[in-house]
Amino acid sequence: MSPEHSAPKPSDSDRRTRAGLIYGLAAYGLWGIMPIYFKWLQAVPAIDIVAHRIIWSLLVLGLLAWIGKAFTQIRSAIAHRKTLALLLLTSVLIGINWLLYVYAINSGHILAGSLGYYLNPLANILLGRFILKERLTKVQWAAVAIAGVGIAVLAAGALGTLWISLTLCFSFATYGLLRKIAHVESLPGLAIETAILFPLALGWLLMGGAESRPMFGTSGTETGLLMAAGVVSTVPLLCFTAAARRLRYATVGMLQFIAPTLQFLLAVAVFHEPFTTAHGIAFGCIWIALILYVGAMARGRRRPLAVQDS
């Protein structure tokens, strides 16, 4: 084939966007099925599960940092005062988010947790618009409005657990925004966040945890599940931060509808939480919004979707 007829090579921006989409799909797909894992640990208090998540995640991250030779980046981020301050804030936010998410699942409120993550994309889109100055087309604004109607219908029928949904939403939306603007890649940043939380987690478990249980579980199965928390927690979060640094924040927000949709399906089909008319209306609105947004994004390929590192 002659050079003039050869397919055009993808630009750096296109490759960056494609990689970001793959990372985003992986992150939200894994988060969508994560309730299954935490249901297996239902006998363990939520705060103890989160403590184990932190401890075992740090070991996994340390291994990944050694393999990827990321310790230089970690030292550089620690030496940068603004970056370290941002990571102190994000470590608190992700700790709160983890704790409340596990509590929601193991207390029978998977749907409330899902609502939080349905709210989160709207928060991401609005933060992207008003903080990062990302522009939206009229169709994309219409998609946001339609999704907002669906979520409002859900919220009206879930006022008793709305605090769970709102806290999950705003803690993770703010976490993602701060991680996007921090001058640190996903692996070094997550390693520093986890190291900040590590002393608190270890101290909590050494003191006996919430119910003075054995530190490593009451059975071999429970011990194995707790140790697996490092991989279960780290992989999707690394994928998320990698996606957030490569895509417009509004696009990250729309991808996030994948996770709560999977969680809804698990809650109803596997864990038999009730699926009401409000849920049906919300699903319809949210998926119409997603189709509109993605369609507008596809038609607007002339506009750059990828972002440069801050």
Side-chain angles (χ1 to χ4, degrees):
M1 182 177 293
S2 61
E4 59 268 23
H5 292 96
S6 60
K9 293 183 179 179
S11 66
D12 289 343
S13 176
D14 288 337
R15 285 193 293 268
R16 187 174 179 80
T17 299
R18 189 176 299 114
L21 288 171
I22 292 171
Y23 282 127
L25 290 170
Y28 293 123
L30 290 170
W31 272 325
I33 62 174
M34 196 173 286
I36 296 172
Y37 168 78
F38 289 118
K39 280 291 188 181
W40 289 337
L41 286 169
Q42 195 164 10
V44 183
I47 191 169
D48 291 4
I49 295 174
V50 172
H52 277 281
R53 288 183 77 172
I54 293 165
I55 289 170
W56 298 111
S57 293
L58 187 60
L59 294 178
V60 172
L61 289 164
L63 177 61
L64 292 175
W66 177 70
I67 293 173
K69 300 179 180 179
F71 286 108
T72 300
Q73 297 177 60
I74 292 173
R75 287 192 293 270
S76 176
I78 292 172
H80 194 278
R81 300 178 78 175
K82 182 180 178 180
T83 300
L84 184 58
L86 286 173
L87 292 175
L88 283 168
L89 288 174
T90 56
S91 66
V92 173
L93 289 168
I94 200 61
I96 291 171
N97 187 272
W98 280 1
L99 180 58
L100 192 54
Y101 179 64
V102 176
Y103 167 78
I105 292 172
N106 286 355
S107 62
H109 297 305
I110 297 177
L111 292 181
S114 298
L115 175 56
Y117 290 114
Y118 270 132
L119 287 167
N120 194 212
L122 297 182
N124 285 354
I125 291 167
L126 294 175
L127 286 171
R129 172 64 185 89
F130 294 109
I131 303 299
L132 302 178
K133 307 303 181 184
E134 297 176 351
R135 294 186 178 183
L136 298 179
T137 66
K138 291 181 180 179
V139 174
Q140 289 170 333
W141 274 119
V144 172
I146 292 170
V149 170
I151 291 167
V153 171
L154 267 181
L159 293 178
T161 56
L162 192 57
W163 68 274
I164 295 176
S165 305
L166 292 175
T167 305
L168 285 173
C169 167
F170 289 110
S171 61
F172 199 69
T174 308
Y175 171 83
L177 176 66
L178 294 178
R179 282 305 310 268
K180 184 175 179 66
I181 64 178
H183 290 272
V184 61
E185 289 293 337
S186 55
L187 175 59
L190 184 55
I192 294 170
E193 290 169 344
T194 309
I196 290 169
L197 295 171
F198 180 83
L200 295 174
L202 182 61
W204 175 259
L205 292 178
L206 289 174
M207 289 188 298
E211 298 176 358
S212 298
R213 305 172 85 257
M215 182 175 177
F216 295 103
T218 57
S219 67
T221 300
E222 193 171 274
T223 300
L225 288 170
L226 289 170
M227 293 177 67
V231 174
V232 170
S233 301
T234 300
V235 172
L237 200 53
L238 284 174
C239 289
F240 166 75
T241 52
R245 291 183 64 81
R246 288 166 172 81
L247 299 172
R248 296 174 64 213
Y249 207 44
T251 304
V252 173
M254 295 307 291
L255 284 176
Q256 189 165 359
F257 282 132
I258 295 168
T261 297
L262 291 174
Q263 291 167 12
F264 257 126
L265 294 175
L266 283 175
V268 175
V270 179
F271 301 118
H272 307 297
E273 293 188 21
F275 187 85
T276 65
T277 301
H279 291 138
I281 294 171
F283 263 118
C285 289
I286 286 164
W287 282 103
I288 289 171
L290 181 59
I291 292 168
L292 284 174
Y293 185 90
V294 172
M297 188 175 70
R299 289 192 299 273
R301 292 292 291 181
R302 294 186 302 272
R303 291 163 54 94
L305 290 179
V307 295
Q308 300 300 317
D309 282 350
S310 301

PDB file of all heavy atoms in Angstrom, residues 257-286:
ATOM      1  N   PHE A 257     -20.964   5.771  35.449  1.00  0.00           N
ATOM      2  CA  PHE A 257     -22.288   5.158  35.530  1.00  0.00           C
ATOM      3  C   PHE A 257     -22.214   3.628  35.421  1.00  0.00           C
ATOM      4  O   PHE A 257     -23.151   2.926  35.784  1.00  0.00           O
ATOM      5  CB  PHE A 257     -23.207   5.705  34.443  1.00  0.00           C
ATOM      6  CG  PHE A 257     -23.764   7.068  34.752  1.00  0.00           C
ATOM      7  CD1 PHE A 257     -23.723   8.077  33.809  1.00  0.00           C
ATOM      8  CD2 PHE A 257     -24.323   7.333  35.982  1.00  0.00           C
ATOM      9  CE1 PHE A 257     -24.234   9.338  34.086  1.00  0.00           C
ATOM     10  CE2 PHE A 257     -24.845   8.586  36.276  1.00  0.00           C
ATOM     11  CZ  PHE A 257     -24.801   9.589  35.323  1.00  0.00           C
ATOM     12  N   ILE A 258     -21.115   3.111  34.891  1.00  0.00           N
ATOM     13  CA  ILE A 258     -20.960   1.658  34.757  1.00  0.00           C
ATOM     14  C   ILE A 258     -20.992   0.974  36.115  1.00  0.00           C
ATOM     15  O   ILE A 258     -21.686  -0.036  36.312  1.00  0.00           O
ATOM     16  CB  ILE A 258     -19.640   1.329  34.030  1.00  0.00           C
ATOM     17  CG1 ILE A 258     -19.682   1.858  32.593  1.00  0.00           C
ATOM     18  CG2 ILE A 258     -19.361  -0.174  34.056  1.00  0.00           C
ATOM     19  CD1 ILE A 258     -18.331   1.830  31.906  1.00  0.00           C
ATOM     20  N   ALA A 259     -20.219   1.503  37.076  1.00  0.00           N
ATOM     21  CA  ALA A 259     -20.092   0.840  38.381  1.00  0.00           C
ATOM     22  C   ALA A 259     -21.410   0.764  39.144  1.00  0.00           C
ATOM     23  O   ALA A 259     -21.805  -0.326  39.586  1.00  0.00           O
ATOM     24  CB  ALA A 259     -19.016   1.528  39.218  1.00  0.00           C
ATOM     25  N   PRO A 260     -22.146   1.871  39.337  1.00  0.00           N
ATOM     26  CA  PRO A 260     -23.392   1.752  40.087  1.00  0.00           C
ATOM     27  C   PRO A 260     -24.460   0.936  39.370  1.00  0.00           C
ATOM     28  O   PRO A 260     -25.320   0.341  40.021  1.00  0.00           O
ATOM     29  CB  PRO A 260     -23.844   3.206  40.280  1.00  0.00           C
ATOM     30  CG  PRO A 260     -23.136   3.984  39.243  1.00  0.00           C
ATOM     31  CD  PRO A 260     -21.834   3.282  39.031  1.00  0.00           C
ATOM     32  N   THR A 261     -24.392   0.884  38.034  1.00  0.00           N
ATOM     33  CA  THR A 261     -25.340   0.038  37.319  1.00  0.00           C
ATOM     34  C   THR A 261     -25.097  -1.435  37.656  1.00  0.00           C
ATOM     35  O   THR A 261     -26.025  -2.198  37.942  1.00  0.00           O
ATOM     36  CB  THR A 261     -25.237   0.264  35.806  1.00  0.00           C
ATOM     37  OG1 THR A 261     -25.595   1.615  35.515  1.00  0.00           O
ATOM     38  CG2 THR A 261     -26.157  -0.669  35.047  1.00  0.00           C
ATOM     39  N   LEU A 262     -23.832  -1.837  37.650  1.00  0.00           N
ATOM     40  CA  LEU A 262     -23.501  -3.210  38.039  1.00  0.00           C
ATOM     41  C   LEU A 262     -23.876  -3.467  39.500  1.00  0.00           C
ATOM     42  O   LEU A 262     -24.378  -4.547  39.852  1.00  0.00           O
ATOM     43  CB  LEU A 262     -22.007  -3.471  37.823  1.00  0.00           C
ATOM     44  CG  LEU A 262     -21.534  -3.517  36.362  1.00  0.00           C
ATOM     45  CD1 LEU A 262     -20.015  -3.645  36.304  1.00  0.00           C
ATOM     46  CD2 LEU A 262     -22.189  -4.673  35.623  1.00  0.00           C
ATOM     47  N   GLN A 263     -23.658  -2.472  40.362  1.00  0.00           N
ATOM     48  CA  GLN A 263     -24.011  -2.625  41.771  1.00  0.00           C
ATOM     49  C   GLN A 263     -25.521  -2.764  41.948  1.00  0.00           C
ATOM     50  O   GLN A 263     -25.988  -3.557  42.766  1.00  0.00           O
ATOM     51  CB  GLN A 263     -23.480  -1.437  42.572  1.00  0.00           C
ATOM     52  CG  GLN A 263     -21.968  -1.403  42.687  1.00  0.00           C
ATOM     53  CD  GLN A 263     -21.444  -0.088  43.203  1.00  0.00           C
ATOM     54  OE1 GLN A 263     -22.194   0.749  43.696  1.00  0.00           O
ATOM     55  NE2 GLN A 263     -20.140   0.122  43.092  1.00  0.00           N
ATOM     56  N   PHE A 264     -26.289  -1.988  41.193  1.00  0.00           N
ATOM     57  CA  PHE A 264     -27.741  -2.115  41.237  1.00  0.00           C
ATOM     58  C   PHE A 264     -28.177  -3.528  40.854  1.00  0.00           C
ATOM     59  O   PHE A 264     -29.027  -4.140  41.508  1.00  0.00           O
ATOM     60  CB  PHE A 264     -28.403  -1.115  40.282  1.00  0.00           C
ATOM     61  CG  PHE A 264     -28.991   0.082  40.969  1.00  0.00           C
ATOM     62  CD1 PHE A 264     -28.632   1.362  40.577  1.00  0.00           C
ATOM     63  CD2 PHE A 264     -29.902  -0.057  41.994  1.00  0.00           C
ATOM     64  CE1 PHE A 264     -29.176   2.477  41.191  1.00  0.00           C
ATOM     65  CE2 PHE A 264     -30.455   1.048  42.619  1.00  0.00           C
ATOM     66  CZ  PHE A 264     -30.087   2.319  42.219  1.00  0.00           C
ATOM     67  N   LEU A 265     -27.600  -4.032  39.780  1.00  0.00           N
ATOM     68  CA  LEU A 265     -27.959  -5.371  39.319  1.00  0.00           C
ATOM     69  C   LEU A 265     -27.618  -6.429  40.366  1.00  0.00           C
ATOM     70  O   LEU A 265     -28.393  -7.363  40.600  1.00  0.00           O
ATOM     71  CB  LEU A 265     -27.257  -5.665  37.992  1.00  0.00           C
ATOM     72  CG  LEU A 265     -27.708  -4.806  36.802  1.00  0.00           C
ATOM     73  CD1 LEU A 265     -26.845  -5.105  35.575  1.00  0.00           C
ATOM     74  CD2 LEU A 265     -29.181  -5.043  36.476  1.00  0.00           C
ATOM     75  N   LEU A 266     -26.463  -6.283  41.000  1.00  0.00           N
ATOM     76  CA  LEU A 266     -26.089  -7.211  42.065  1.00  0.00           C
ATOM     77  C   LEU A 266     -27.048  -7.100  43.245  1.00  0.00           C
ATOM     78  O   LEU A 266     -27.475  -8.113  43.810  1.00  0.00           O
ATOM     79  CB  LEU A 266     -24.659  -6.931  42.533  1.00  0.00           C
ATOM     80  CG  LEU A 266     -23.520  -7.423  41.645  1.00  0.00           C
ATOM     81  CD1 LEU A 266     -22.183  -6.937  42.199  1.00  0.00           C
ATOM     82  CD2 LEU A 266     -23.519  -8.944  41.558  1.00  0.00           C
ATOM     83  N   ALA A 267     -27.358  -5.866  43.617  1.00  0.00           N
ATOM     84  CA  ALA A 267     -28.231  -5.657  44.782  1.00  0.00           C
ATOM     85  C   ALA A 267     -29.586  -6.323  44.573  1.00  0.00           C
ATOM     86  O   ALA A 267     -30.131  -6.947  45.493  1.00  0.00           O
ATOM     87  CB  ALA A 267     -28.413  -4.161  45.035  1.00  0.00           C
ATOM     88  N   VAL A 268     -30.123  -6.213  43.374  1.00  0.00           N
ATOM     89  CA  VAL A 268     -31.468  -6.730  43.113  1.00  0.00           C
ATOM     90  C   VAL A 268     -31.450  -8.218  42.764  1.00  0.00           C
ATOM     91  O   VAL A 268     -32.215  -9.012  43.321  1.00  0.00           O
ATOM     92  CB  VAL A 268     -32.131  -5.921  41.980  1.00  0.00           C
ATOM     93  CG1 VAL A 268     -33.475  -6.530  41.603  1.00  0.00           C
ATOM     94  CG2 VAL A 268     -32.300  -4.470  42.411  1.00  0.00           C
ATOM     95  N   ALA A 269     -30.550  -8.617  41.855  1.00  0.00           N
ATOM     96  CA  ALA A 269     -30.572  -9.990  41.350  1.00  0.00           C
ATOM     97  C   ALA A 269     -29.889 -10.982  42.275  1.00  0.00           C
ATOM     98  O   ALA A 269     -30.288 -12.143  42.359  1.00  0.00           O
ATOM     99  CB  ALA A 269     -29.918 -10.035  39.968  1.00  0.00           C
ATOM    100  N   VAL A 270     -28.848 -10.534  42.977  1.00  0.00           N
ATOM    101  CA  VAL A 270     -28.074 -11.458  43.814  1.00  0.00           C
ATOM    102  C   VAL A 270     -28.407 -11.306  45.290  1.00  0.00           C
ATOM    103  O   VAL A 270     -28.628 -12.305  45.989  1.00  0.00           O
ATOM    104  CB  VAL A 270     -26.556 -11.246  43.585  1.00  0.00           C
ATOM    105  CG1 VAL A 270     -25.736 -12.181  44.481  1.00  0.00           C
ATOM    106  CG2 VAL A 270     -26.203 -11.485  42.119  1.00  0.00           C
ATOM    107  N   PHE A 271     -28.498 -10.054  45.767  1.00  0.00           N
ATOM    108  CA  PHE A 271     -28.715  -9.824  47.192  1.00  0.00           C
ATOM    109  C   PHE A 271     -30.165  -9.468  47.533  1.00  0.00           C
ATOM    110  O   PHE A 271     -30.483  -9.194  48.680  1.00  0.00           O
ATOM    111  CB  PHE A 271     -27.761  -8.739  47.699  1.00  0.00           C
ATOM    112  CG  PHE A 271     -26.313  -9.104  47.478  1.00  0.00           C
ATOM    113  CD1 PHE A 271     -25.500  -8.329  46.665  1.00  0.00           C
ATOM    114  CD2 PHE A 271     -25.769 -10.227  48.074  1.00  0.00           C
ATOM    115  CE1 PHE A 271     -24.171  -8.669  46.448  1.00  0.00           C
ATOM    116  CE2 PHE A 271     -24.444 -10.580  47.865  1.00  0.00           C
ATOM    117  CZ  PHE A 271     -23.644  -9.799  47.047  1.00  0.00           C
ATOM    118  N   HIS A 272     -31.032  -9.441  46.506  1.00  0.00           N
ATOM    119  CA  HIS A 272     -32.485  -9.349  46.673  1.00  0.00           C
ATOM    120  C   HIS A 272     -32.948  -8.102  47.426  1.00  0.00           C
ATOM    121  O   HIS A 272     -33.896  -8.147  48.192  1.00  0.00           O
ATOM    122  CB  HIS A 272     -33.009 -10.604  47.383  1.00  0.00           C
ATOM    123  CG  HIS A 272     -32.579 -11.874  46.722  1.00  0.00           C
ATOM    124  ND1 HIS A 272     -32.954 -12.214  45.438  1.00  0.00           N
ATOM    125  CD2 HIS A 272     -31.751 -12.869  47.162  1.00  0.00           C
ATOM    126  CE1 HIS A 272     -32.407 -13.379  45.117  1.00  0.00           C
ATOM    127  NE2 HIS A 272     -31.671 -13.800  46.141  1.00  0.00           N
ATOM    128  N   GLU A 273     -32.268  -6.981  47.191  1.00  0.00           N
ATOM    129  CA  GLU A 273     -32.799  -5.709  47.660  1.00  0.00           C
ATOM    130  C   GLU A 273     -33.913  -5.283  46.699  1.00  0.00           C
ATOM    131  O   GLU A 273     -33.871  -5.601  45.510  1.00  0.00           O
ATOM    132  CB  GLU A 273     -31.695  -4.646  47.725  1.00  0.00           C
ATOM    133  CG  GLU A 273     -30.635  -4.943  48.782  1.00  0.00           C
ATOM    134  CD  GLU A 273     -29.648  -3.794  48.968  1.00  0.00           C
ATOM    135  OE1 GLU A 273     -29.983  -2.657  48.605  1.00  0.00           O
ATOM    136  OE2 GLU A 273     -28.547  -4.046  49.483  1.00  0.00           O
ATOM    137  N   PRO A 274     -34.939  -4.581  47.183  1.00  0.00           N
ATOM    138  CA  PRO A 274     -36.097  -4.278  46.329  1.00  0.00           C
ATOM    139  C   PRO A 274     -35.761  -3.311  45.196  1.00  0.00           C
ATOM    140  O   PRO A 274     -35.021  -2.351  45.385  1.00  0.00           O
ATOM    141  CB  PRO A 274     -37.095  -3.648  47.304  1.00  0.00           C
ATOM    142  CG  PRO A 274     -36.258  -3.127  48.434  1.00  0.00           C
ATOM    143  CD  PRO A 274     -35.101  -4.068  48.554  1.00  0.00           C
ATOM    144  N   PHE A 275     -36.318  -3.597  44.028  1.00  0.00           N
ATOM    145  CA  PHE A 275     -36.182  -2.714  42.863  1.00  0.00           C
ATOM    146  C   PHE A 275     -37.540  -2.057  42.632  1.00  0.00           C
ATOM    147  O   PHE A 275     -38.504  -2.716  42.243  1.00  0.00           O
ATOM    148  CB  PHE A 275     -35.763  -3.511  41.635  1.00  0.00           C
ATOM    149  CG  PHE A 275     -35.450  -2.651  40.436  1.00  0.00           C
ATOM    150  CD1 PHE A 275     -34.194  -2.104  40.281  1.00  0.00           C
ATOM    151  CD2 PHE A 275     -36.416  -2.388  39.474  1.00  0.00           C
ATOM    152  CE1 PHE A 275     -33.896  -1.313  39.178  1.00  0.00           C
ATOM    153  CE2 PHE A 275     -36.135  -1.599  38.377  1.00  0.00           C
ATOM    154  CZ  PHE A 275     -34.867  -1.065  38.229  1.00  0.00           C
ATOM    155  N   THR A 276     -37.614  -0.769  42.886  1.00  0.00           N
ATOM    156  CA  THR A 276     -38.887  -0.051  42.861  1.00  0.00           C
ATOM    157  C   THR A 276     -39.122   0.644  41.524  1.00  0.00           C
ATOM    158  O   THR A 276     -38.249   0.677  40.650  1.00  0.00           O
ATOM    159  CB  THR A 276     -38.903   1.003  43.977  1.00  0.00           C
ATOM    160  OG1 THR A 276     -37.897   1.992  43.690  1.00  0.00           O
ATOM    161  CG2 THR A 276     -38.614   0.363  45.336  1.00  0.00           C
ATOM    162  N   THR A 277     -40.303   1.226  41.409  1.00  0.00           N
ATOM    163  CA  THR A 277     -40.614   2.026  40.218  1.00  0.00           C
ATOM    164  C   THR A 277     -39.636   3.188  40.076  1.00  0.00           C
ATOM    165  O   THR A 277     -39.216   3.530  38.968  1.00  0.00           O
ATOM    166  CB  THR A 277     -42.054   2.571  40.310  1.00  0.00           C
ATOM    167  OG1 THR A 277     -42.968   1.477  40.431  1.00  0.00           O
ATOM    168  CG2 THR A 277     -42.405   3.396  39.079  1.00  0.00           C
ATOM    169  N   ALA A 278     -39.258   3.787  41.220  1.00  0.00           N
ATOM    170  CA  ALA A 278     -38.292   4.895  41.182  1.00  0.00           C
ATOM    171  C   ALA A 278     -36.965   4.444  40.590  1.00  0.00           C
ATOM    172  O   ALA A 278     -36.330   5.177  39.823  1.00  0.00           O
ATOM    173  CB  ALA A 278     -38.080   5.447  42.592  1.00  0.00           C
ATOM    174  N   HIS A 279     -36.540   3.228  40.940  1.00  0.00           N
ATOM    175  CA  HIS A 279     -35.301   2.708  40.362  1.00  0.00           C
ATOM    176  C   HIS A 279     -35.428   2.560  38.848  1.00  0.00           C
ATOM    177  O   HIS A 279     -34.504   2.877  38.101  1.00  0.00           O
ATOM    178  CB  HIS A 279     -34.958   1.345  40.984  1.00  0.00           C
ATOM    179  CG  HIS A 279     -34.558   1.430  42.412  1.00  0.00           C
ATOM    180  ND1 HIS A 279     -34.982   0.522  43.360  1.00  0.00           N
ATOM    181  CD2 HIS A 279     -33.797   2.313  43.084  1.00  0.00           C
ATOM    182  CE1 HIS A 279     -34.481   0.845  44.531  1.00  0.00           C
ATOM    183  NE2 HIS A 279     -33.762   1.932  44.387  1.00  0.00           N
ATOM    184  N   GLY A 280     -36.595   2.062  38.402  1.00  0.00           N
ATOM    185  CA  GLY A 280     -36.807   1.899  36.969  1.00  0.00           C
ATOM    186  C   GLY A 280     -36.762   3.228  36.229  1.00  0.00           C
ATOM    187  O   GLY A 280     -36.151   3.333  35.160  1.00  0.00           O
ATOM    188  N   ILE A 281     -37.388   4.260  36.799  1.00  0.00           N
ATOM    189  CA  ILE A 281     -37.362   5.598  36.181  1.00  0.00           C
ATOM    190  C   ILE A 281     -35.939   6.131  36.137  1.00  0.00           C
ATOM    191  O   ILE A 281     -35.486   6.677  35.119  1.00  0.00           O
ATOM    192  CB  ILE A 281     -38.281   6.563  36.960  1.00  0.00           C
ATOM    193  CG1 ILE A 281     -39.748   6.121  36.828  1.00  0.00           C
ATOM    194  CG2 ILE A 281     -38.107   7.993  36.461  1.00  0.00           C
ATOM    195  CD1 ILE A 281     -40.694   6.886  37.723  1.00  0.00           C
ATOM    196  N   ALA A 282     -35.226   5.955  37.257  1.00  0.00           N
ATOM    197  CA  ALA A 282     -33.856   6.453  37.321  1.00  0.00           C
ATOM    198  C   ALA A 282     -32.963   5.765  36.303  1.00  0.00           C
ATOM    199  O   ALA A 282     -32.159   6.409  35.619  1.00  0.00           O
ATOM    200  CB  ALA A 282     -33.298   6.259  38.728  1.00  0.00           C
ATOM    201  N   PHE A 283     -33.090   4.434  36.200  1.00  0.00           N
ATOM    202  CA  PHE A 283     -32.304   3.708  35.205  1.00  0.00           C
ATOM    203  C   PHE A 283     -32.560   4.257  33.803  1.00  0.00           C
ATOM    204  O   PHE A 283     -31.621   4.492  33.035  1.00  0.00           O
ATOM    205  CB  PHE A 283     -32.667   2.223  35.236  1.00  0.00           C
ATOM    206  CG  PHE A 283     -31.734   1.386  36.054  1.00  0.00           C
ATOM    207  CD1 PHE A 283     -32.201   0.708  37.169  1.00  0.00           C
ATOM    208  CD2 PHE A 283     -30.404   1.273  35.708  1.00  0.00           C
ATOM    209  CE1 PHE A 283     -31.349  -0.064  37.924  1.00  0.00           C
ATOM    210  CE2 PHE A 283     -29.545   0.493  36.451  1.00  0.00           C
ATOM    211  CZ  PHE A 283     -30.016  -0.178  37.565  1.00  0.00           C
ATOM    212  N   GLY A 284     -33.840   4.446  33.455  1.00  0.00           N
ATOM    213  CA  GLY A 284     -34.165   4.956  32.133  1.00  0.00           C
ATOM    214  C   GLY A 284     -33.541   6.311  31.872  1.00  0.00           C
ATOM    215  O   GLY A 284     -32.920   6.541  30.824  1.00  0.00           O
ATOM    216  N   CYS A 285     -33.681   7.223  32.836  1.00  0.00           N
ATOM    217  CA  CYS A 285     -33.117   8.578  32.680  1.00  0.00           C
ATOM    218  C   CYS A 285     -31.604   8.542  32.550  1.00  0.00           C
ATOM    219  O   CYS A 285     -31.016   9.219  31.692  1.00  0.00           O
ATOM    220  CB  CYS A 285     -33.515   9.441  33.879  1.00  0.00           C
ATOM    221  SG  CYS A 285     -35.261   9.902  33.921  1.00  0.00           S
ATOM    222  N   ILE A 286     -30.967   7.751  33.396  1.00  0.00           N
ATOM    223  CA  ILE A 286     -29.507   7.732  33.431  1.00  0.00           C
ATOM    224  C   ILE A 286     -28.932   7.165  32.135  1.00  0.00           C
ATOM    225  O   ILE A 286     -27.962   7.695  31.580  1.00  0.00           O
ATOM    226  CB  ILE A 286     -29.017   6.953  34.668  1.00  0.00           C
ATOM    227  CG1 ILE A 286     -29.245   7.807  35.919  1.00  0.00           C
ATOM    228  CG2 ILE A 286     -27.543   6.580  34.541  1.00  0.00           C
ATOM    229  CD1 ILE A 286     -29.173   7.039  37.210  1.00  0.00           C
TER     230      ILE A 286
END
